Amino acid sequence: MLLRLRLLTTSLVSGGLLLVVLCLGAQNLNDRHSLRLGDAKSAELPTGFLVGMSIVAGVISGGSTAALLLPKPRT
C-alpha cells in the first residue's frame, strides 16, 4: 500500500512540476495553433505547449496506472 501511494504521489508531483515548467517556458512562443475537436476549436496555443501537455498527461496517467496495477503483496 505504501509503495502504491509513493508511486502515485511521485507521478502527480512530477507531472505538476513539468506543468509549471511548461507554462513558464511557453509564455514567449509566437507560433500558435488551435486544435479542432469535432466541430469545436480550442484556443490558439503554442505548439510546444500542446506537445508538452500531452507529455504531462502521459506521465500522470502512466504513473497512476502503474500504481493501480501493482499486484497486492502476499502475506
Side-chain angles (χ1 to χ4, degrees):
M1 180 68 180
L2 184 62
L3 180 62
R4 286 184 187 197
L5 183 61
R6 192 170 64 201
L7 185 58
L8 185 63
T9 304
T10 303
S11 67
L12 289 175
V13 168
S14 63
L17 288 175
L18 282 172
L19 183 63
V20 167
V21 170
L22 177 66
C23 288
L24 290 175
Q27 289 181 359
N28 295 327
L29 299 176
N30 294 327
D31 189 24
R32 296 177 183 261
H33 300 282
S34 62
L35 293 177
R36 297 186 69 174
L37 305 170
D39 292 336
K41 288 178 72 175
S42 69
E44 291 189 0
L45 298 169
T47 306
F49 184 76
L50 295 174
V51 172
M53 281 302 297
S54 67
I55 292 171
V56 169
V59 165
I60 292 174
S61 66
S64 301
T65 302
L68 292 175
L69 293 179
L70 275 176
K72 292 183 180 180
R74 294 184 178 182
T75 56

